[in-house]
């Protein structure tokens, strides 16, 4: 996500990936003001025509589309650059959309926007084929750490051991063992050398493998432009959230948790929440039922007492446990 603050109550937003859509879903609520360009039927003296116009609405409903690939935000039209037909408009927000959001931004809203725009995690990528081996780090840019030329004759009986030696030289350039290593390459290369790479870096390392058309630097660049790169970024977030849920389960055994809306609200009111976990489905249901202010008030109370808030998505381990209650929390002390 890219943002540009116009003033303290107004921000310009560009959506860059699917995760940005859920960020907007979390922070846009009824009575907020949204504006941008969209197609709309306008009136002329001699008839009507559909064209792209600037529209400002007061938000009434926010929901995901049927397939979850866009955010539909409906509301009453406040202003428009042309005389438009009808009193209401629905923005269909997708990747690439640009909007301006006006509201009294809470600490929660600002933190969600900051998380969506912060520098991406560094990802180590090992790119292999029969000619080159490259090691790179990808974050907001690509940093090539090393590229080793291979070019071993096919008839060389020691081909496999020579290749592994060259691969070992490249792996040694990894300064600190990463949580996730991505291996890319054509045909069998990622699968064939996975076991050897684990021997060098440790069996417990999480490895993701993807096919690209070639190895070396070109393979790194190809991977960085594909959807699999964004999938890898999600894996980092999943790892972090899984650690939080593991801590929550351990805290359950010690009686240091509360579960369900009423209990969580009760403990939030006295400032006794260390962190809050909210399931994706529960948040959506509260929003669709017009009860989102209950959740926002709890979030506000938790943040004022230095507690943390985590949203738990469906692809997280033990999601069913959190979603059973919808909202749960680890407490600071027993009462």
């Amino acid at each position: 996500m890219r943002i540009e603050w116009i003033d303290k109550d107004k921000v310009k937003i560009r959506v860059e990936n699917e995760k940005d859509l859920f960020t907007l879903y979390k922070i846009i609520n009824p009575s907020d003001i949204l504006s941008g360009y969209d197609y709309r039927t306008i009136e002329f003296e001699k008839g009507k025509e559909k064209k792209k116009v600037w529209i400002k609405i007061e938000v009434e409903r926010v929901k995901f589309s049927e397939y979850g690939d866009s955010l539909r935000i409906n509301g009453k039209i406040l202003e428009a650059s042309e005389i438009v037909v009808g009193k209401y408009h629905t923005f269909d927000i997708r990747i690439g959309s640009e909007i301006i959001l006006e509201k009294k931004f809470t600490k929660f809203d600002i933190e969600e926007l900051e998380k969506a725009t912060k520098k991406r995690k560094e990802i180590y990528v090992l790119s292999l084929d029969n000619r080159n081996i490259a090691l790179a780090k990808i974050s907001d840019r690509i940093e090539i750490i090393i590229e080793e030329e291979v070019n071993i004759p096919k008839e060389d009986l020691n081909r496999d051991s020579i290749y592994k030696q060259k691969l070992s030289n490249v792996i040694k350039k990894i300064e600190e063992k990463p949580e996730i290593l991505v291996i890319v390459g054509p045909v069998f290369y990622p699968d064939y050398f996975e076991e050897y790479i684990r021997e060098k870096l440790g069996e417990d390392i999480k490895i993701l493998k993807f096919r690209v058309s070639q190895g070396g630097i070109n393979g790194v660049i190809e991977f960085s432009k594909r959807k699999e790169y964004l999938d890898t970024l999600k894996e980092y977030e999943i790892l972090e959230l899984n650690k939080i849920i593991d801590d929550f389960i351990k805290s359950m055994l010690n009686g240091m948790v509360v579960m369900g809306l009423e209990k969580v609200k009760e403990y939030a009111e006295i400032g006794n929440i260390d962190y809050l976990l909210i399931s994706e489905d529960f948040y959506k249901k509260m929003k669709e039922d017009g009860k989102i202010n209950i959740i926002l008030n709890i979030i506000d109370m938790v943040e004022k007492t230095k507690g943390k808030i985590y949203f738990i998505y469906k692809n997280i381990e033990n999601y069913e446990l959190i979603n059973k209650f919808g909202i749960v929390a680890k407490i600071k002390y027993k009462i």
Side-chain angles (χ1 to χ4, degrees):
M1 179 183 288
R2 293 184 186 179
I3 66 171
E4 178 186 340
W5 288 97
I6 299 168
D7 59 44
K8 65 181 180 65
D9 297 326
K10 186 186 295 187
V11 64
K12 184 177 181 180
I13 298 169
R14 178 179 172 81
V15 177
E16 295 195 321
N17 56 58
E18 291 177 2
K19 187 180 172 185
D20 292 345
L21 293 175
F22 193 63
T23 297
L24 293 179
Y25 182 80
K26 286 185 280 186
I27 70 170
I28 297 177
N29 295 299
S31 298
D32 293 346
I33 306 299
L34 194 72
S35 60
Y37 285 89
D38 207 351
Y39 285 94
R40 185 80 191 190
T41 301
I42 63 172
E43 290 183 333
F44 294 99
E45 289 183 6
K46 297 182 179 180
K48 300 175 182 178
E49 179 187 344
K50 196 165 189 176
K51 63 181 289 190
K52 199 170 190 178
V53 296
W54 176 84
I55 301 172
K56 178 187 281 190
I57 66 170
E58 181 178 349
V59 176
E60 292 189 2
R61 291 193 305 276
V62 183
K63 61 183 287 188
F64 276 96
S65 64
E66 182 181 355
Y67 299 104
D69 59 348
S70 70
L71 195 61
R72 296 181 61 78
I73 304 175
N74 173 265
K76 188 175 182 179
I77 296 173
L78 300 178
E79 297 178 43
S81 59
E82 307 273 0
I83 299 174
V84 298
V85 176
K87 296 181 179 179
Y88 286 82
H89 183 73
T90 299
F91 281 101
D92 192 45
I93 309 299
R94 298 174 177 271
I95 295 171
S97 294
E98 289 188 359
I99 55 170
I100 292 177
L101 176 62
E102 299 175 56
K103 63 180 294 178
K104 293 292 183 184
F105 288 92
T106 64
K107 182 183 177 185
F108 168 73
D109 296 332
I110 294 168
E111 287 180 349
E112 287 297 312
L113 288 172
E114 287 175 348
K115 280 192 285 185
T117 56
K118 72 179 181 181
K119 184 179 178 181
R120 289 175 170 177
K121 283 268 191 183
E122 284 188 337
I123 295 174
Y124 274 99
V125 181
L126 195 56
S127 179
L128 320 170
D129 68 8
N130 64 335
R131 291 179 296 177
N132 295 286
I133 303 170
L135 177 68
K137 281 193 292 188
I138 306 177
S139 55
D140 293 327
R141 64 186 183 89
I142 298 174
E143 177 189 344
I144 303 299
I145 299 170
I146 184 175
E147 184 175 42
E148 181 94 2
E149 190 175 346
V150 181
N151 288 332
I152 308 167
K154 289 183 179 180
E155 61 274 12
D156 193 323
L157 298 177
N158 297 315
R159 178 181 174 82
D160 198 55
S161 60
I162 295 172
Y163 192 99
K164 285 181 177 178
Q165 183 56 53
K166 289 179 178 288
L167 179 55
S168 177
N169 293 338
V170 172
I171 292 172
K172 286 176 183 176
K173 296 294 182 179
I174 298 177
E175 296 173 355
E176 186 177 338
K177 182 180 174 181
E179 289 184 287
I180 297 174
L181 175 68
V182 175
I183 308 174
V184 300
V187 291
F188 65 89
Y189 279 89
D191 291 324
Y192 185 78
F193 290 103
E194 178 185 357
E195 185 177 345
Y196 179 75
I197 292 166
R198 286 191 184 280
E199 287 177 12
K200 295 295 180 181
L201 293 175
E203 288 294 328
D204 60 334
I205 187 171
K206 185 176 181 67
I207 289 178
L208 301 178
K209 297 172 292 182
F210 301 107
R211 296 281 186 274
V212 292
S213 60
Q214 55 189 315
I217 293 174
N218 289 333
V220 173
I221 294 170
E222 182 181 338
F223 167 74
S224 72
K225 294 178 179 178
R226 286 170 45 169
K227 180 179 178 293
E228 286 87 345
Y229 170 51
L230 295 178
D231 291 340
T232 305
L233 289 174
K234 289 179 186 176
E235 286 291 331
Y236 271 100
E237 185 177 16
I238 289 169
L239 280 176
E240 291 171 3
L241 289 175
N242 282 339
K243 289 176 185 176
I244 296 294
I245 293 181
D246 286 345
D247 179 73
F248 179 80
I249 291 171
K250 290 176 185 175
S251 300
M252 284 178 66
L253 302 176
N254 299 323
M256 291 293 290
V257 305
V258 288
M259 296 180 280
L261 186 60
E262 292 305 317
K263 271 292 180 184
V264 169
K265 183 173 179 289
E266 177 187 335
Y267 277 68
E269 286 171 346
I270 59 173
N272 187 14
I273 287 185
D274 184 13
Y275 59 73
L276 191 66
L277 305 180
I278 307 171
S279 78
E280 177 182 346
D281 284 334
F282 181 72
Y283 192 84
K284 286 180 179 178
K285 185 177 187 307
M286 293 296 282
K287 196 150 194 168
E288 289 167 5
D289 291 348
K291 299 177 181 178
I292 195 61
N293 282 337
I294 299 173
I295 303 299
L296 296 178
N297 287 337
I298 291 174
I299 288 173
D300 186 53
M301 288 188 284
V302 171
E303 288 190 322
K304 283 179 178 176
T305 54
K306 309 298 183 184
K308 294 183 178 179
I309 292 90
Y310 299 99
F311 283 86
I312 308 302
Y313 309 110
K314 293 177 184 178
N315 54 355
I316 303 295
E317 288 180 23
N318 294 303
Y319 175 79
E320 293 78 11
L321 170 65
I322 308 303
N323 194 48
K324 180 180 179 180
F325 298 94
I327 184 169
V328 299
K330 178 182 177 181
I331 60 176
K332 297 175 181 177
Y333 53 87
K334 291 182 181 180
I335 297 177

